[in-house]
Amino acid sequence: MTRLVLTPAERDAVTAAVVAAEATTDGETVTIVSERSDAYHDVGLHYALVAVLAVPVAAAIWPALLLPGNGWETGRTHDLTLLLIAQAVAFLIVRFALAWMPLRLWLTPQATKARRVRRRAVQYFRVAAERRTAGREGVLLYLSADEHVAEIVADAAVHRAVPPERWAEAMAALVDAVRDGRAGDGMVAAVAAIGAILSQHFPKSAGNANELPDRVIEL
């Protein structure tokens, strides 16, 4: 079962922040929160394979550590059998240890997590916001909680008008709050910052319709 990142009160606060932000701009913000963006099973497999390769390296450097007697000896075929068993044991130990998600996530390089979060954010943007507004003024704010990584993906008109670095303040406020265990506060602050930027480039016009959902989506 997916763990909910936000409390009901926090969800209401984020929704209210979206409504308030969109009152001053034609731009629209979609908020999506996910527990994590990937299972990182391949990371566990990679570490297990490294453990397998480390066994013969260790046997070559310290033969007496893995092999009885004086280490490698010509004609002792059971040395190879012991080495293969040691490799299998190393693989299973690491693989089962990294079945525990917190450890697997902790050992995943930050660059890998950032790439997976970005990829998932773009996928959600294409479904939830891209070309869903008449003026191509939609913005997706995506938070992947376990990775402590957030992404902002903008539709065509917003992307042309707003340099990517303008979103840095909103991203920093969100990530800092998530690390402090205040995901709701971070989302509210980020939505407000996004709304302020959008209002500068896409001020509210008469008759502008609300084309995207205001409520926060948890996946």
Side-chain angles (χ1 to χ4, degrees):
M1 175 180 286
T2 301
R3 168 177 58 85
L4 295 180
V5 176
L6 303 178
T7 66
E10 288 174 327
R11 288 196 295 272
D12 292 342
V14 174
T15 299
V18 172
V19 172
E22 293 181 356
T24 62
T25 176
D26 284 353
E28 298 198 36
T29 304
V30 176
T31 54
I32 298 180
V33 178
S34 177
E35 181 180 359
R36 73 180 68 92
S37 294
D38 194 86
Y40 303 101
H41 289 303
D42 58 321
V43 175
L45 179 60
H46 292 161
Y47 276 107
L49 292 176
V50 168
V52 169
L53 295 175
V55 171
V57 172
I61 298 175
W62 305 288
L65 184 66
L66 296 175
L67 304 171
N70 296 321
W72 293 102
E73 293 183 11
T74 303
R76 284 176 45 176
T77 58
H78 71 282
D79 285 353
L80 179 59
T81 301
L82 291 174
L83 185 62
L84 292 174
I85 291 173
Q87 286 182 300
V89 170
F91 178 88
L92 292 174
I93 289 175
V94 174
R95 196 76 173 99
F96 280 111
L98 292 180
W100 187 44
M101 186 64 208
L103 178 60
R104 188 161 74 243
L105 194 63
W106 183 73
L107 288 174
T108 300
Q110 188 62 33
T112 299
K113 289 187 281 190
R115 286 194 302 269
R116 303 283 171 90
V117 172
R118 178 66 183 179
R119 182 177 65 188
R120 187 56 56 89
V122 170
Q123 290 173 346
Y124 288 150
F125 170 73
R126 288 172 177 166
V127 173
E130 188 176 27
R131 301 180 181 178
R132 296 284 298 276
T133 61
R136 306 287 178 84
E137 298 158 344
V139 175
L140 170 67
L141 172 62
Y142 175 62
L143 169 64
S144 195
D146 282 356
E147 292 93 336
H148 295 167
V149 177
E151 283 287 345
I152 294 175
V153 188
D155 213 341
V158 179
H159 182 72
R160 287 194 299 267
V162 182
E165 57 269 19
R166 286 293 309 277
W167 306 117
E169 182 178 347
M171 298 282 283
L174 175 52
V175 172
D176 288 345
V178 171
R179 287 173 176 163
D180 292 339
R182 300 179 294 105
D185 292 342
M187 290 289 289
V188 168
V191 167
I194 292 170
I197 293 172
L198 291 177
S199 65
Q200 296 173 10
H201 297 275
F202 307 96
K204 192 72 171 179
S205 60
N208 178 258
N210 187 12
E211 299 170 277
L212 298 177
D214 296 331
R215 66 178 181 85
V216 61
I217 300 169
E218 288 191 89
L219 301 173

